[in-house]
Amino acid sequence: MNNGRKVSSKYFSALIFTVLSSSVTLCCFANYPSTAGFCKFLTTLGDTAKPIVPAFKDTVIKDSAVSDRNTRDSSFKDTAIQQTDTFNIKISKDSLDAPIAYSASDSIVMNVPSKKITLYNKATAKQKDLDLSAYQIEYDQDKQLVVATYTTDTSGKMIGRPKMVQGDNTIESDTMVYNLKNQKGITKNSYTTSGEMFFYQEKLKKIAPEEFYAASGRFTTCNLDTPHFAFRTNKMKVINKKFAITGPVHPEFEGVPVPIYIPFGFFPLVQGRHSGLLPPQFTASDQFGLGLQGLGYYKVLSDNFDVTFRTDLYSYGGWAFYVDPEYLVRYRYRGRLDFSLQKTRILNPTGIGTSEFQDTKTYRLSWSHTVDTKARPGTNFSANVNLQSLKYNQFVLNNPTANYTNSISSSIAYSKTWKDGKYNLTLSGNHSQNSNDGSMTITLPNLGFTVTTLYPFQKKEIIGAQKWYEKLGIGLNTSFNNQARVYDSLFSLKNLIDTFRWGAHHSLPITLALPPLGPFQISPGVSLQQNWFQSKTILQDWSANPKIRKVDTTFQKGFYTETDMAFSISMATAIFGTFNKFGKNSSILGIRHVIRPTVSLSYKPDFSSKDYYWVAYDSVGHRRRVSYFQGNTYSSFPEGTFGGMSFGFDNTLEMKVKSKKDTSESGIKKVKLIDGFGFNGSYNYLADSNRLSPISFYFRSTLFQKINITAAATLDPYVKDSLGNDRKNFYAWQQRGKFSLGTISQGNIAISTNFKSKPKDQKAEDEKKKQDENQIPLTMEEQQAEMNYIATHAAEFADFNVAWSLNLSFSLNFTRTLKPDLTGYQTIINSGLNWNGDFNLTPKWKFGMSSFYDVKLQKINSLSMSVSRDMHCWQMSISVIPIGYMRSFNITISPKAAILRDLRVNRSRYFYAQ
């Protein structure tokens, strides 16, 4: 039994076992730490079995009896115990490469002669990454086979169905036979999952940890025992997380087979990015004809780079081609390039001419690039480039937002800071384009250099109190830009160079930080500014051109400068007021009002009057003062001497309330009633007229933490004549017969709010928010594209966890501007109401609407409606845009699972009105 190895008899004296029958053995092993350990020992016993000897650091077995004898008689040390460094124990060929941990709640039966172990009731066995559970598990050591089965109760209900988990694979079967040596097995009536797919097979043969064959099976993305839909096949091979290959396959719904057969099936199960075809969507339009949209191919070129090719094809001969490469290096940078080329061929909307169709070629190019701020601290580069034809947005079928977009812009910027942020350099280029008039403005390059406040008299090591002159600070702000304005139809390199104008602006602020004088903070300062211009703008009088009857404009190139200087001293403080007499039973504990007034005295000499002149702009002889440098890259300094006072008042109002349910300190909350309210203005004592400047008012509040309100207005205190010009030294409240504070020359107000019900499942809502937070941030263009898609496919993003939601926003802005011919002023008003919302008609039906109403025109510019149906493993979405530039209808029925999202039934119709 010991194979000729000399082992101490004391080792075996600790082993006591009694064979009660030929098939059942009860055992106990004193030196083993647990009974389970000895059970593993017994499984190796037999005619050819070798004993498993525990590994000790010292081969001398030191039990308590030996220790006692050594203590009583030192001569006991001269025993026949042989010490060796190692044991060369031969390992049995039928032994396992890893131990098996097993358990059962009823009993464990071990048959020593047949080398079988049987576990009953809630039996489990674990080896490496294999985890098996069943009612009954039998292990045959000779064949190294594990057989797992279930049982039934008196009502015939299945109990303890075998379940095996290995890696990412989970298999449930009626019967399992598994070989631990080669990890192969056969199961009957098995259910298994791979990603989003659920497989059922009458017979399944596992040939590798991630690979198996199946016969007479079905697969689906529905997780019900009786799925709503499935695909039937007689034979199939699955490689987990790679692909599934089948023979002839046909679908079935609610167990009813559909007589549509496919010779074979190939279903990718790869997780993450992988190359493949992009299926198209069928559409129909009265103007474009029948079409296929989105047909293309997605190619993964590397871990950091991929590209998408798509095309749209229409029966009238129109087409569109899209190329979208994207790159990403995590923690360094990411970017995306979008290029599209359209050949639009639609029915002639005017009916004028002999041609039945109207052909238009347009293009669009956009590039976005962002750099992670942690990649190179102190250095940043970003790009947002957008170029397109004037009529590109008019012929985009599935994006109503783009149809109403009339302007685009681009920017590329590089910035660098050093010396702990004291110096900052910025290089940038900008572009803007208006599709209404075809104008294009290019500003390239822009250069900015900033030096934060430096204290030249401050000591490197501050010891004790600082002297007043040590707090004298000097800063620098310098900018340079080069700007050109051309029209799309006249665009050429020569015209672009001819229209370039460059300019520069320099500012040198000097400040002195004085210590507070009680509640007042006093700050004196000096500001020196200078502008550089490339050209002068000369407006010729109306009287000089009586036949032309307009004001001519000429340009004179050269190098011109203008300088401005100002001296100021400002004072700021804060005034606090509290009212808390609301009574003991009131939930309002108090209201706090904070006023922050600011007053500054300043003097600015007149350095700019030489740069202004009078221009007559009509035949009557009305004149206006204009600057030689108007229309340049920087605005000219105002003329005239200023010696006066600037003032401002800012107010905040907040309330402290207590909860009626929570009487602790945590139940007391601060609620802001007014985030900011105030006004700003100035009074020039040295001006010969119009000493009081226009007064600017502002208001900000978040009422009840729900309603966001922002408003601003500018009040002109002087009386206007019929042409909108100021009447000198005549305030509005000085008019006889009526009282007025003045004329509001411009203003705006914006109100927005949103309401929604509490989620049915708060845990699911929290998980959704967590997933959104973990997403890689999108660029502005990607966010806009995502919002546009959601707006046109709202039904696909229905959230049934929220019963209802409503978003409202209202905006109004107006401005009083000078007319282009200088004959007076005009007021331009824009106002709109935007709203969207949805609600659950039933737990499975949701209805949504969104609209934009133009208050000025009293017209609904756009209206879209959506209906969503949750069909468990499928979803139906209906989107209708009855009012808008591009009216459309879309219905889509598709599985929810992403792997089968392209297996959909779709119908789209577009109605174009030019």
Side-chain angles (χ1 to χ4, degrees), residues 46-194:
D47 295 337
T48 61
K50 285 80 179 174
I52 298 178
V53 181
F56 298 97
K57 294 182 179 179
D58 191 342
T59 56
V60 178
I61 301 176
K62 297 180 180 180
D63 54 16
S64 58
V66 174
S67 299
D68 293 341
R69 287 193 294 271
N70 289 344
T71 304
R72 292 193 301 267
D73 187 0
S74 61
S75 64
F76 185 76
K77 297 179 181 179
D78 299 330
T79 59
I81 298 177
Q82 181 176 352
Q83 299 184 11
T84 58
D85 294 335
T86 59
F87 280 113
N88 295 322
I89 303 297
K90 294 182 179 180
I91 305 299
S92 175
K93 295 180 180 180
D94 58 358
S95 64
L96 301 175
D97 59 351
I100 301 176
Y102 53 88
S103 64
S105 63
D106 190 332
S107 60
I108 301 176
V109 177
M110 292 172 285
N111 190 322
V112 176
S114 62
K115 301 181 183 179
K116 290 184 179 180
I117 301 177
T118 307
L119 292 76
Y120 292 94
N121 199 1
K122 297 182 181 179
T124 63
K126 298 181 180 180
Q127 185 197 34
K128 294 183 179 180
D129 62 340
L130 177 66
D131 189 350
L132 177 65
S133 61
Y135 173 79
Q136 177 180 326
I137 299 177
E138 182 183 274
Y139 170 59
D140 188 332
Q141 183 185 5
D142 282 343
K143 298 180 180 179
Q144 293 198 2
L145 288 180
V146 175
V147 180
T149 57
Y150 67 93
T151 189
T152 58
D153 58 13
T154 55
S155 63
K157 182 179 179 181
M158 185 182 296
I159 298 176
R161 195 164 190 262
K163 179 180 180 180
M164 183 174 67
V165 179
Q166 185 176 24
D168 295 328
N169 284 336
T170 301
I171 301 177
E172 293 187 15
S173 306
D174 292 349
T175 303
M176 289 186 181
V177 180
Y178 187 75
N179 190 300
L180 295 175
K181 193 72 174 179
N182 56 26
Q183 296 189 355
K184 296 181 180 181
I186 297 177
T187 65
K188 293 182 179 180
N189 298 328
S190 303
Y191 288 91
T192 183
T193 60
S194 180

Side-chain angles (χ1 to χ4, degrees), residues 799-860:
D799 186 2
F800 288 91
N801 194 33
V802 178
W804 61 270
S805 65
L806 177 64
N807 300 315
L808 296 170
S809 63
F810 170 78
S811 64
L812 170 67
N813 62 79
F814 62 92
T815 181
R816 184 169 170 268
T817 62
L818 184 65
K819 293 180 180 180
D821 57 3
L822 307 180
T823 58
Y825 287 83
Q826 59 182 353
T827 301
I828 301 175
I829 302 176
N830 293 299
S831 179
L833 174 64
N834 201 340
W835 67 276
N836 65 80
D838 56 48
F839 62 93
N840 292 350
L841 295 170
T842 68
K844 299 296 183 181
W845 284 92
K846 182 179 281 288
F847 176 78
M849 290 184 66
S850 64
S851 177
F852 177 78
Y853 179 76
D854 192 320
V855 178
K856 178 183 178 182
L857 301 178
Q858 298 184 359
K859 176 184 176 182
I860 299 177

Side-chain angles (χ1 to χ4, degrees), residues 267-299:
F267 302 89
L269 303 177
V270 178
Q271 303 293 322
R273 301 161 59 245
H274 57 279
S275 303
L277 293 173
L278 301 174
Q281 173 180 316
F282 177 79
T283 63
S285 172
D286 292 344
Q287 289 74 28
F288 290 79
L290 302 179
L292 293 176
Q293 289 183 339
L295 176 64
Y297 186 80
Y298 173 74
K299 178 63 178 177

Side-chain angles (χ1 to χ4, degrees), residues 635-651:
S635 300
S636 57
F637 298 126
E639 64 174 331
T641 302
F642 181 89
M645 176 181 65
S646 299
F647 52 86
F649 284 86
D650 181 69
N651 300 264

Side-chain angles (χ1 to χ4, degrees), residues 558-622:
F559 177 77
Y560 307 95
T561 63
E562 64 171 355
T563 305
D564 189 53
M565 177 179 283
F567 305 89
S568 65
I569 181 170
S570 62
M571 181 185 68
T573 188
I575 304 173
F576 301 89
T578 304
F579 181 80
N580 53 13
K581 297 180 180 180
F582 289 96
K584 296 181 179 180
N585 299 326
S586 176
S587 59
I588 303 176
L589 298 180
I591 294 179
R592 186 187 189 190
H593 181 204
V594 182
I595 304 175
R596 292 183 173 85
T598 58
V599 179
S600 65
L601 300 176
S602 59
Y603 172 76
K604 183 186 80 68
D606 184 10
F607 293 156
S608 303
S609 58
K610 59 180 176 52
D611 300 323
Y612 285 78
Y613 60 100
W614 290 100
V615 172
Y617 56 84
D618 59 17
S619 58
V620 179
H622 290 105

